[in-house]
Amino acid sequence: MRRRPEISSEKPSAASQEPSSESEIDQKDAGAKVRVNSPRRSPFVFLTLFALTVYSSWSVYQHQFQSLPAPITAEQAGKRGFSEIEALKHVQALTDLGPHSVGSDALDLALEYVLEAAKNIKEKAHWEVDVDVEAFHVRSGANQMAGGLFMGKTLLYSDLNHVVLRILPKFESEAAQNAILVSSHIDTVFSTGGAGDCSSCIAVMLELARGISQWAGFKHAVIFLFNTGEEEGLNGAHSFVTQHPWNETVRMAIDLEAMGIGGKSGIFQAGPHPWAIENFASVAKYPSGQIIAQDFFSSGAIKSATDFQIYKEVAGLSGLDFAYTDNSAVYHTKNDKLELLKPGSLQHLGENMLSFLIHSAASPHLPKGNAMEQEENKGQNAAIFFDILGTYMVVFRQNFANMLYNSVIIQSLLIWITSLLMGGYPAAVSLALSCLSIILMWILALGFSVLIAFILPLVSSSPVPYVANPWLVVGLFAAPALLGALTGQHLGYLFLQTYLSTVYSKRKLLSPAVQADLIKLESERWIYKAGSVQWLILLAMGNYYKIRSSYLALVWLVPPTFAYGLLEATLSPARLPKPLKLATLLMGLAVPILISAGIFIQLAGTVIGTMVRFDRNPGSTPEWLGNVIIAAFIAAVICLTLVYLLSYVHLSGAKRSIVLATCLLFGLSFTAVFLGIVPPFTEDTARAVNVVHVVDTTGIFEGKRDISSYVSLFSTTPGKLNKEVEQIKEGLNCGRNKVVDFVAFSVKYGCWTYDDTEDGWSESDIPLLHVYRDVKKKARITRVSVDTKGSIRWVLAINTEEIEDFRFEDNSEELVQSGIKSGVDGWHIIQFSGGKHSPTIFNLTLIWKSEFMQSAHKVDGQRGEQRPLLKLRTDWNRLTPKTEMVLEKLPSWCSLFGKSTSPHTLAFLTSLPVDF
């Protein structure tokens, strides 16, 4: 028997040496007949694989996120079931009221409707169940959370009203002391009727309460909190957990929210105690939730907050936070309407919640608050969760994840060390060059897609032309990223071939033709294995920093590696490399696609929707920045997920087809954008704008009236407003030469007009900041009267470069006590909102920093002027004639946008200088 020459520098294949069905090259070398499988792979095979991967990914997404249960009627649901048809009646009734923001007549009507519905539930409840209904009024309160969006802020509220409904069994003496809280908010922002955010949530809660009131045998109470003030800073939840007598009985909190309209309401925050998510996973009919959404949300990538933050941080509770995220571009705009609510959305959430609440309320115990705080501090038992196709949810704890990840990391390192020791120096260099191919793949994929991100604002009427048609990002960003990834990996493949040819050239047993074929086969294998290296690195980093969504790295590392080890690898150094089997790829990618494909697509859609409100300080961010973020995200997903598949292309003739297809797809998408064939916004997916009549007395103090009145038009959606102004006209001028400081944020690019702006407001509406006492001793103390002139929604900024501490009170009580106050960019913000009977005159006591006499007055970099001591903005939800005229001519593709910091349609600005 002749000895087969040792020629491979990688871990050779364990495949049989019998001739395959593929064409072979017979070559006689040194008296030996060496058979090498042809390195050519049919382009049709690769293109079929690529098409299958795309189709499978889209199918997973459709089943996981778009497949909804059919709505059922009250008769089909029965007394104890959940009916979407009935819930939709509540949504219809609430949205018919129009926008119902805090302090509005419409909110009073919405509260009356919810209260009457709650009383009706009480009247029809099961005889073994007690139902308590309460209209809960809050006189005032202050929320001073230090983290996230609330850093450097104090949120004040007054005259808020909520509806509280409690269901508890009659014959369980301890039930009232152990309650599950289900919460959502009735109020909306001023710009929308809020079908999704959050009339749909209120409707689900009312239908849930009706169904649960017909059950008996519970051991715990269930409290439904229909709060107001959430849109102004989570004030409703804060008032309940700090002032309501039932707050001490709550053991677990469930919050229902919406960041879009309809679709599947999934869990995007859970914990800190894992009890809730573990029990939800065991009983939910259509479980939906992703830990990656929690990581994404908690990172601050999405600038938002929910009542769950109050329940977790202020009340020390654990629980679940649900949210609708489909069509997130309509969030807080006119298009948050019932017509866009997908059928089955409420049925999905309702049936999940009903099963979970029935199970939890009948459980022998609920986790206690102190235990939850301990779990949060310890962190080892925090839950990691994700659903598979929306039918099964996987939940495991962080301590198990640590053991699993460490085991996989150690085993992977041992395998690589063994392989490199067997392969020697050539194997180490081959690994380095194959990793270089991954690096080049990343560089070129990011480079190509980000380049387009920079170009788009120059050629399109909008820097974000894909908002109304998200599929455009496939052609605009995914196609260039794929082309870059293929180019980069192929360059690395060629470098690897060059090196291996020098290694093989030193071996004289094989002819040059056979060596060339073997080099191609071995290069392909190294490129495939390098894909697992990037996932191994990500797993190690995620494990070190305790990133809970690191399970995705595990999923993309283990199955492809296992498939390669099972079907390709061998410990025999005498084996010749063969082409990678198609079975290896199919087996390796099946599980990763099943678990993660839908997540990546859904996450991309959510990020695209947020572009509508991306520029929180209009004009402060480059127009290309949002594009760069989306392009980088898409390029990263392509590099991470297609690394194994692309390793198969180098031996096929499909490279040219892929290049042509990607160029054609990009060309068509780019042409559609350039020519305006596809509009960036539509009536149902509108651009977010604000139209505000501003009365500005900033810098004017006590009697010196130099009032500036104008209408301001600005947008949180990146891009110029030229097209909108052309349609509106009304004398609007646009540019960056007029910065408007709205206290909570600044507008650095916008449009304005001074024409016909003297009507619709009065000088008696202008707020006053009056210094009535200023004591300059060891510690300088200044007392200021703040008169909002009837406004019940206002924002006050205090200069923390001059002021060390402050106290704030109305005529009857102290709202903010003295103590350490944080600031952001040199300002501490007091944000106030309340009902119609809220106070409008306040007293502010300022305690100056001791070095105030020695310190030079700071200069505001935006204006080149001295920073004021105080800045105040008061809001009115009324239209002046000029504002009404602009709104009537506002294009259909635009919508007013509201958030807690945005002004209403009439705003007054004033300030108090440092040297008053």
Side-chain angles (χ1 to χ4, degrees):
M1 179 181 292
R2 292 187 178 91
R3 181 175 179 271
R4 194 178 292 274
E6 297 182 11
I7 49 80
S8 178
S9 65
E10 67 125 45
K11 187 171 16 174
S13 171
S16 171
Q17 296 304 300
E18 294 299 322
S20 72
S21 59
E22 300 175 353
S23 62
E24 297 180 342
I25 300 173
D26 292 349
Q27 192 73 32
K28 292 186 178 180
D29 291 286
K33 185 177 182 180
V34 179
R35 287 182 174 178
V36 180
N37 285 6
S38 172
R40 295 289 297 173
R41 182 177 287 116
S42 169
F44 175 77
V45 172
F46 179 83
L47 293 175
T48 301
L49 281 172
F50 186 83
L52 180 62
T53 301
V54 173
Y55 175 78
S56 300
S57 300
W58 185 253
S59 298
V60 168
Y61 164 72
Q62 287 291 322
H63 197 284
Q64 186 171 9
F65 291 99
Q66 300 300 312
S67 177
L68 294 167
I72 62 175
T73 64
E75 292 74 18
Q76 292 172 316
K79 284 188 175 182
R80 298 182 176 184
F82 183 94
S83 166
E84 175 175 308
I85 304 302
E86 293 301 305
L88 284 174
K89 295 177 182 178
H90 299 308
V91 180
Q92 182 73 64
L94 292 171
T95 54
D96 283 347
L97 299 173
H100 34 283
S101 55
V102 171
S104 67
D105 293 335
L107 182 59
D108 293 339
L109 295 175
L111 281 162
E112 289 178 10
Y113 176 85
V114 173
L115 182 61
E116 287 302 315
K119 290 179 179 178
N120 188 49
I121 291 170
K122 178 178 180 178
E123 292 175 0
K124 298 179 180 180
H126 192 277
W127 67 272
E128 293 185 50
V129 170
D130 280 331
V131 178
D132 300 320
V133 177
E134 177 183 332
F136 175 48
H137 177 260
V138 179
R139 186 186 180 281
S140 62
N143 179 5
Q144 288 184 293
M145 290 189 298
L149 292 178
F150 305 103
M151 182 178 296
K153 285 187 178 182
T154 297
L155 305 175
L156 302 180
Y157 52 88
S158 178
D159 189 32
L160 294 183
N161 293 284
H162 318 306
V163 175
V164 189
L165 183 152
R166 182 174 66 173
I167 302 172
L168 68 164
K170 284 184 178 180
F171 308 112
E172 288 285 343
S173 58
E174 299 296 323
Q177 300 305 312
N178 295 278
I180 302 166
L181 176 67
V182 183
S183 170
S184 192
H185 61 96
I186 304 174
D187 63 305
T188 70
V189 293
F190 75 96
S191 55
T192 179
D197 186 20
C198 213
S199 296
S200 61
C201 311
I202 296 299
V204 168
M205 287 172 57
L206 287 171
E207 181 64 6
L208 281 172
R210 181 205 60 76
I212 290 175
S213 68
Q214 301 301 319
W215 285 80
F218 291 158
K219 299 181 182 297
H220 313 294
V222 180
I223 298 173
F224 291 89
L225 171 62
F226 306 88
N227 70 65
T228 65
E230 191 272 350
E231 296 291 7
E232 299 295 341
L234 318 183
N235 297 328
H238 185 272
S239 64
F240 177 82
V241 301
T242 56
Q243 300 185 40
H244 196 280
W246 292 346
N247 63 0
E248 296 295 334
T249 69
V250 177
R251 299 291 174 256
M252 181 173 64
I254 312 298
D255 181 49
L256 307 184
E257 257 298 349
M259 294 173 59
I261 183 165
K264 289 190 175 182
S265 181
I267 298 171
F268 72 105
Q269 292 190 94
H273 195 285
W275 190 92
I277 186 65
E278 289 175 345
N279 282 269
F280 175 84
S282 67
V283 300
K285 190 174 182 180
Y286 315 105
S288 180
Q290 304 293 339
I291 190 65
I292 191 173
Q294 179 168 318
D295 286 346
F296 193 67
F297 187 82
S298 60
S299 70
I302 294 180
K303 304 294 183 182
S304 186
T306 71
D307 285 339
F308 190 71
Q309 184 175 351
I310 295 288
Y311 300 135
K312 186 171 70 170
E313 296 181 10
V314 178
L317 296 171
S318 185
L320 304 174
D321 200 3
F322 292 81
Y324 293 110
T325 58
D326 273 20
N327 205 356
S328 57
V330 308
Y331 176 72
H332 283 190
T333 69
K334 66 179 182 180
N335 291 316
D336 186 1
K337 54 190 178 183
L338 184 58
E339 292 82 357
L340 297 182
L341 187 60
K342 296 179 180 178
S345 301
L346 307 190
Q347 194 69 42
H348 173 266
L349 175 59
E351 291 195 39
N352 280 343
M353 282 295 299
L354 185 62
S355 300
F356 175 63
L357 289 175
I358 292 172
H359 173 81
S360 300
S363 175
H365 71 277
L366 293 174
K368 303 294 183 180
N370 291 336
M372 297 177 206
E373 293 173 4
Q374 293 172 4
E375 293 293 349
E376 184 175 22
N377 294 331
K378 189 165 63 174
Q380 291 302 309
N381 280 331
I384 296 170
F385 58 93
F386 58 91
D387 73 85
I388 300 176
L389 297 180
T391 57
Y392 180 77
M393 179 168 279
V394 177
V395 182
F396 54 96
R397 299 194 180 189
Q398 184 66 54
N399 52 6
F400 173 77
N402 293 339
M403 291 187 293
L404 178 61
Y405 298 165
N406 287 329
S407 174
V408 171
I409 292 169
I410 292 172
Q411 290 182 60
S412 299
L413 291 175
L414 288 175
I415 292 172
W416 272 110
I417 291 171
T418 302
S419 178
L420 293 177
L421 288 175
M422 292 178 61
Y425 178 77
V429 176
S430 298
L431 175 61
L433 290 174
S434 61
C435 290
L436 176 63
S437 74
I438 303 300
I439 296 172
L440 291 173
M441 180 179 69
W442 277 84
I443 292 173
L444 292 184
L446 286 169
F448 286 10
S449 58
V450 169
L451 177 63
I452 303 304
F454 282 108
I455 293 175
L456 273 183
L458 304 177
V459 301
S460 172
S461 61
S462 169
V464 287
Y466 42 78
V467 171
N469 299 280
W471 53 266
L472 275 174
V473 301
V474 177
L476 294 174
F477 299 133
L482 177 59
L483 182 61
L486 175 60
T487 304
Q489 194 182 88
H490 191 66
L491 284 175
Y493 173 80
L494 295 177
F495 291 151
L496 184 57
Q497 273 191 297
T498 302
Y499 170 73
L500 290 177
S501 64
T502 62
V503 175
Y504 276 79
S505 66
K506 299 175 183 178
R507 300 168 181 172
K508 307 300 183 181
L509 295 179
L510 300 175
S511 71
V514 172
Q515 287 184 7
D517 291 335
L518 293 175
I519 289 168
K520 292 178 182 178
L521 295 174
E522 189 168 350
S523 298
E524 178 187 59
R525 288 168 170 265
W526 276 111
I527 297 295
Y528 181 94
K529 293 193 293 183
S532 66
V533 173
Q534 69 170 353
W535 284 110
L536 177 60
I537 293 172
L538 289 175
L539 179 62
M541 292 176 61
N543 187 45
Y544 179 80
Y545 290 106
K546 298 296 182 287
I547 299 173
R548 298 183 192 178
S549 50
S550 298
Y551 79 91
L552 289 170
L554 182 77
V555 166
W556 279 92
L557 170 63
V558 173
T561 304
F562 175 79
Y564 183 89
L566 180 66
L567 301 177
E568 306 287 354
T570 178
L571 294 177
S572 172
R575 299 286 187 180
L576 295 176
K578 291 184 177 182
L580 290 172
K581 298 179 177 65
L582 298 181
T584 303
L585 188 68
L586 295 174
M587 181 185 295
L589 295 187
V591 173
I593 289 174
L594 180 68
I595 291 178
S596 65
I599 299 172
F600 290 138
I601 297 173
Q602 178 73 2
L603 195 57
T606 302
V607 174
I608 291 170
T610 62
M611 290 298 108
V612 168
R613 52 192 181 275
F614 178 73
D615 200 352
R616 297 178 67 83
N617 292 278
S620 63
T621 57
E623 292 185 346
W624 45 260
L625 184 58
N627 290 338
V628 168
I629 292 173
I630 292 178
F633 173 79
I634 291 174
V637 170
I638 285 176
C639 289
L640 290 170
T641 58
L642 295 185
V643 61
Y644 299 112
L645 179 62
L646 289 179
S647 66
Y648 275 65
V649 76
H650 306 294
L651 295 184
S652 75
K655 292 187 289 294
R656 179 176 298 178
S657 299
I658 294 175
V659 171
L660 291 176
T662 53
C663 290
L664 178 62
L665 181 59
F666 166 73
L668 291 173
S669 302
F670 191 82
T671 301
V673 169
F674 179 74
L675 298 179
I677 298 173
V678 180
F681 309 103
T682 64
E683 188 169 354
D684 286 338
T685 306
R687 179 177 190 176
V689 301
N690 287 87
V691 179
V692 186
H693 191 136
V694 180
V695 180
D696 190 354
T697 62
T698 303
I700 308 304
F701 177 60
E702 294 199 350
K704 300 177 182 178
R705 294 295 183 188
D706 185 13
I707 301 171
S708 176
S709 174
Y710 55 92
V711 170
S712 175
L713 169 68
F714 57 90
S715 175
T716 56
T717 308
K720 301 293 191 295
L721 289 162
N722 298 336
K723 189 175 180 181
E724 288 78 7
V725 169
E726 287 177 5
Q727 181 163 329
I728 297 171
K729 298 179 181 177
E730 293 299 328
L732 286 164
N733 299 299
C734 301
R736 294 181 173 271
N737 54 335
K738 183 175 179 60
V739 176
V740 184
D741 186 351
F742 282 107
V743 182
F745 68 98
S746 295
V747 174
K748 297 182 180 179
Y749 168 82
C751 305
W752 64 92
T753 179
Y754 292 92
D755 300 344
D756 305 321
T757 59
E758 301 304 319
D759 297 328
W761 60 276
S762 168
E763 288 194 20
S764 61
D765 296 327
I766 298 175
L768 293 178
L769 296 172
H770 172 65
V771 177
Y772 64 90
R773 188 176 183 185
D774 186 32
V775 179
K776 300 179 181 179
K777 295 183 178 179
K778 290 185 178 180
R780 182 180 179 182
I781 298 178
T782 301
R783 300 186 187 277
V784 182
S785 171
V786 180
D787 186 352
T788 66
K789 295 295 183 177
S791 173
I792 54 176
R793 186 180 191 266
W794 51 264
V795 183
L796 176 69
I798 300 173
N799 187 341
T800 56
E801 293 180 353
E802 302 288 346
I803 301 302
E804 183 175 6
D805 197 4
F806 66 86
R807 295 191 299 274
F808 196 82
E809 58 189 22
D810 63 14
N811 292 328
S812 59
E813 64 177 320
E814 189 173 56
L815 299 175
V816 182
Q817 299 177 349
S818 58
I820 299 175
K821 307 293 194 307
S822 62
V824 175
D825 297 328
W827 298 100
H828 184 91
I829 303 293
I830 299 177
Q831 193 170 307
F832 180 95
S833 68
K836 298 174 183 176
H837 304 293
S838 298
T840 59
I841 298 176
F842 306 87
N843 295 313
L844 174 64
T845 301
L846 301 173
I847 304 171
W848 293 65
K849 290 186 175 180
S850 58
E851 65 273 13
F852 77 95
M853 290 184 179
Q854 291 78 24
S855 65
H857 291 152
K858 305 296 186 295
V859 174
D860 192 319
Q862 294 178 354
R863 295 186 167 194
E865 299 174 357
Q866 182 182 6
R867 290 170 64 106
L869 184 66
L870 301 174
K871 299 186 295 183
L872 175 64
R873 186 194 87 214
T874 58
D875 294 339
W876 296 83
N877 193 11
R878 71 173 187 243
L879 297 177
T880 63
K882 186 66 174 182
T883 306
E884 188 172 11
M885 195 174 299
V886 172
L887 288 175
E888 286 176 356
K889 297 181 179 180
L890 198 66
S892 61
W893 68 80
C894 292
S895 168
L896 290 180
F897 175 73
K899 58 181 179 179
S900 63
T901 57
S902 4
H904 282 175
T905 49
L906 175 61
F908 293 85
L909 304 176
T910 191
S911 65
L912 179 67
V914 172
D915 53 355
F916 55 84

